[in-house]
Amino acid sequence: MHSSSRRNFITKTTAWASAGLAAPLASKPVAVPPTQPLPTERISLDGEWLFHTDPDNTGEQQNWFRADAFPSGARTVNVPHTWQIEAPLTEYRGVAWYRRTFDVYPGWQQSTVRIEFEAVFHSAHVWINGASAGEHARKAYTAFAFDVTNLIQWDRPNTIAVRVDNSFNEHMLPRGRSSDWAHDGGIYRPVHLLIAPKVFLDRVDVDALPDLASGNAHLDIVASARNTGSQPWKGTVSLAVIDDATGLNVLTQHDAANLTIAPGSAANAKLTAVLPKAKLWHFDRPHLYRLELSLADGLAPSHLFASTFGVRRFGVKNTAFHLNGERVRLMGVERMAGSNPEFGMAEPAEWIEHDHDDLKNLNCIFTRVHWQQDRRVLDYCDRHGILIQTEVPTWGPDTFKGMGEQPDADIMQNGIEQLREMVALDRNHPSIVSWGLCNEINGQNPPAYHFAENMLQEAKRLDPHRLCSYASHSLRETPGKDVSGRMDFIECNEYFGSWYPGGPADLARNIDEIHAAFPDKPIVISEYGYCACTANRPEGDARRREILSAHDAVFHEKDYIGGLIFF
């Protein structure tokens, strides 16, 4: 079957599946070795799913994961979906189920079929045709995928069932009720089928650092591949770099690395290259490249994996940030996803673009967020030049309530797992200039201090070239005792005039004290503004403008302030 015919088949079967209908099966295709490596096909499973809450948590016992046992009272919703936007379910914290059917192309029997969820809040158990495909537990904002090849029925429609739990949980981050944002339950980001060869690349890490003297960029690449077949695989990895703006190939290396993978195993290949006269990524000129890696076994090419990246160097020198050798003082605001009550956390692409267009048009080129972000957010920041810090959602001093000298093992492990997933998914985005490790944890409390230390050590192991920090609210007294001092730069959340008593003079004194405690590090005001969150602080933009103006005047006088993020 020609590629155009295959695409038409996929389009039609996806449409049939979204309606819960079975597509007619195509005749068996003739196997023709490909002349070019094939990329992973992404088949959207967004759209209509059946949905039913499970307040008594009996669905698994009653086999709701089976196609013939889903409750008759289920109704149709559109995924991405969160039930929290529906008035009867706004306060519902518990278990709910989703189900849909899909059809398959017969030629996929020679492929690896995976299902990818870009995020489910916060725990998901997935079944295919009544058989468990896997669980992703207590990690609410990161993508995950399961190999479901062996669970597929090739001669009939297939059923996906997903059990979702958004109950407050004491063994994950955010812990229990410690967070101050919505716990929007559901399959709230896109879902795809991923179709790849039996031997495929599933992750590529790119470090692209410029030599500012020569103008060249040094590329360090780690390619991770899997062999889901029954035979060992031996072949080569080739690379190409394409200028994303022009489409021109600017670098090619055939057979750049050798790779051997045992059946049912994974292996890594390390590649290096020099990109001559690289165009640098900058918030005013966010230039991107596309890296394409391909596998071949000597007989035929097999798989193509592509990832965009940017060439840039962002670091600390003395008390200032430098981007590609240029000192920068950065300004922006924080956007809280899920704030639109029409969508909640299940935001469509149009709304994500709407909000970030506003940021960019206001020249807000620096931001941070409280949790791991939708890949559409990061792609926007890459292409439009917004520097961002994404974070593990460790929020509030109550995270470590009741703990001794060290953080509890389950919380520490959950933090490490979320950090690893965040870095694995997002490290190639040039817009990410810092990993955020936690937020307002009381960094002078021993278990919080050790948690942040452990997270920092792991982040540096995973990604040694990127800065790390945490947003502190415990710097008003004895700042030198805060774990902030272990970070690459200091982040301070300040709310003089709302949460804190005092005004600009008190702010100036406190900021100078923080600088005296950490004289060799830049300070980022990671949150500031007027929070009208209590009865004695009425809503009003006049007071918000007053604080913004008065506090900015203090910050502009402090040369060691590297950035401001208005909240």
Side-chain angles (χ1 to χ4, degrees):
M1 184 178 286
H2 294 298
S3 60
S4 60
S5 300
R6 179 169 174 164
R7 282 194 297 273
N8 290 336
F9 178 89
I10 293 167
T11 301
K12 291 176 181 177
T13 55
T14 302
W16 283 315
S18 67
L21 302 175
L25 297 175
S27 58
K28 186 175 181 180
V30 178
V32 178
T35 58
Q36 298 292 329
L38 296 175
T40 297
E41 295 185 64
R42 299 179 63 85
I43 312 300
S44 175
L45 292 182
D46 293 349
E48 292 186 349
W49 291 59
L50 292 176
F51 171 79
H52 202 288
T53 56
D54 185 9
D56 297 324
N57 193 19
T58 58
E60 190 166 359
Q61 185 180 9
Q62 296 176 18
N63 298 323
W64 286 9
F65 49 83
R66 287 173 34 185
D68 60 352
F70 208 67
S72 59
R75 58 188 173 86
T76 300
V77 299
N78 280 298
V79 168
H81 170 262
T82 172
W83 62 76
Q84 247 72 46
I85 64 170
E86 304 173 24
L89 298 177
T90 298
E91 300 301 325
Y92 180 67
R93 304 287 186 272
V95 175
W97 290 71
Y98 294 81
R99 198 200 82 170
R100 67 159 289 161
T101 60
F102 68 96
D103 289 274
V104 294
Y105 168 65
W108 292 348
Q109 294 181 65
Q110 305 306 314
S111 301
T112 302
V113 181
R114 291 170 290 160
I115 184 169
E116 178 195 57
F117 294 82
E118 293 191 23
V120 174
F121 193 101
H122 54 70
S123 294
H125 189 169
V126 180
W127 288 264
I128 302 292
N129 299 319
S132 176
E135 293 184 72
H136 187 255
R138 299 179 298 280
K139 294 183 282 289
Y141 304 102
T142 49
F144 58 96
F146 301 127
D147 185 342
V148 299
T149 311
N150 294 332
L151 305 179
I152 295 295
Q153 299 174 151
W154 299 101
D155 59 348
R156 67 195 69 178
N158 291 265
T159 301
I160 305 172
V162 185
R163 178 187 183 274
V164 177
D165 186 358
N166 79 327
S167 305
F168 290 112
N169 191 297
E170 295 292 326
H171 305 286
M172 61 171 283
L173 300 169
R175 184 185 180 200
R177 299 174 183 265
S178 69
S179 59
D180 66 348
W181 60 83
H183 288 214
D184 281 1
I187 304 174
Y188 70 94
R189 290 181 187 164
V191 187
H192 293 89
L193 283 179
L194 306 179
I195 317 302
K198 290 293 186 183
V199 179
F200 64 95
L201 292 157
D202 66 344
R203 173 181 167 185
V204 173
D205 297 340
V206 186
D207 289 326
L209 296 176
D211 181 328
L212 299 178
S214 69
N216 300 332
H218 186 80
L219 307 184
D220 284 314
I221 302 163
V222 178
S224 301
R226 293 189 176 275
N227 178 3
T228 64
S230 59
Q231 300 297 319
W233 187 90
K234 185 176 183 180
T236 60
V237 185
S238 299
L239 72 84
V241 177
I242 293 92
D243 186 306
D244 197 63
T246 65
L248 297 177
N249 190 320
V250 294
L251 177 65
T252 302
Q253 286 187 4
H254 296 291
D255 302 337
N258 296 315
L259 189 60
T260 301
I261 319 175
S265 299
N268 293 341
K270 295 183 179 181
L271 304 85
T272 61
V274 174
L275 182 61
K277 303 303 177 185
K279 299 176 183 177
L280 301 182
W281 189 93
H282 187 280
F283 50 78
D284 284 336
R285 299 170 299 280
H287 194 86
L288 294 175
Y289 291 96
R290 188 169 74 254
L291 173 68
E292 295 185 349
L293 294 186
S294 57
L295 298 177
D297 64 1
L299 300 175
S302 56
H303 188 232
L304 176 72
F305 187 101
S307 178
T308 55
F309 69 95
V311 177
R312 60 114 177 94
R313 187 182 293 274
F314 185 81
V316 170
K317 183 179 179 182
N318 299 322
T319 59
F321 291 126
H322 287 76
L323 176 60
N324 303 327
E326 170 195 5
R327 182 181 178 180
V328 291
R329 299 186 81 188
L330 304 169
M331 180 70 189
V333 301
E334 179 171 350
R335 171 187 182 265
M336 293 293 282
S339 298
N340 187 326
E342 182 180 352
F343 310 125
M345 288 294 291
E347 296 181 323
E350 295 78 10
W351 186 252
I352 291 172
E353 293 172 4
H354 165 276
D355 277 4
H356 288 83
D357 282 346
D358 283 349
L359 262 66
K360 189 62 180 180
N361 290 336
L362 290 168
N363 201 32
C364 295
I365 48 82
F366 185 44
T367 189
R368 59 174 281 261
V369 286
H370 280 44
W371 55 80
Q372 301 96 333
Q373 291 297 287
D374 192 309
R375 64 178 51 149
R376 294 169 295 181
V377 170
L378 300 179
D379 287 342
Y380 184 102
C381 293
D382 286 348
R383 296 188 177 280
H384 295 84
I386 297 177
L387 285 70
I388 187 171
Q389 173 177 293
T390 62
E391 298 181 1
V392 175
T394 315
W395 185 87
D398 283 351
T399 300
F400 303 97
K401 185 177 181 180
M403 298 185 189
E405 183 73 16
Q406 296 291 333
D408 287 355
D410 54 353
I411 290 297
M412 190 72 254
Q413 183 61 31
N414 186 258
I416 292 292
E417 289 178 5
Q418 292 206 44
L419 175 65
R420 289 172 179 167
E421 291 190 9
M422 177 174 72
V423 173
L425 291 163
D426 299 334
R427 76 189 310 278
N428 292 349
H429 289 281
S431 57
I432 298 179
V433 293
S434 175
W435 298 122
L437 307 179
C438 33
N439 177 42
E440 296 191 355
I441 59 171
N442 184 7
Q444 300 184 38
N445 182 28
Y449 192 106
H450 293 306
F451 176 90
E453 274 192 319
N454 293 340
M455 293 285 282
L456 177 64
Q457 181 179 357
E458 181 67 5
K460 290 299 185 182
R461 184 188 70 83
L462 296 168
D463 186 9
H465 298 294
R466 205 173 245 111
L467 301 180
C468 297
S469 193
Y470 102 96
S472 177
H473 75 325
S474 47
L475 294 168
R476 282 185 294 150
E477 297 180 0
T478 61
K481 296 180 180 180
D482 199 275
V483 73
S484 294
R486 302 299 305 274
M487 304 294 153
D488 292 313
F489 59 97
I490 309 301
E491 288 190 322
C492 174
N493 292 354
E494 73 85 1
Y495 286 102
F496 285 98
S498 56
W499 287 114
Y500 311 156
D506 302 283
L507 168 62
R509 173 190 49 76
N510 183 221
I511 293 297
D512 283 340
E513 290 172 347
I514 297 169
H515 172 58
F518 313 113
D520 59 340
K521 297 179 185 289
I523 296 175
V524 167
I525 307 302
S526 40
E527 289 182 28
Y528 72 112
Y530 173 66
C531 186
C533 303
T534 62
N536 65 327
R537 295 201 298 269
E539 183 61 68
D541 283 347
R543 180 60 174 155
R544 189 167 283 113
R545 288 193 298 268
E546 179 185 344
I547 285 186
L548 175 63
S549 177
H551 288 213
D552 281 357
V554 173
F555 300 139
H556 291 163
E557 295 298 320
K558 310 295 184 182
D559 192 58
Y560 52 78
I561 299 291
L564 306 174
I565 301 174
F566 188 71
F567 189 87

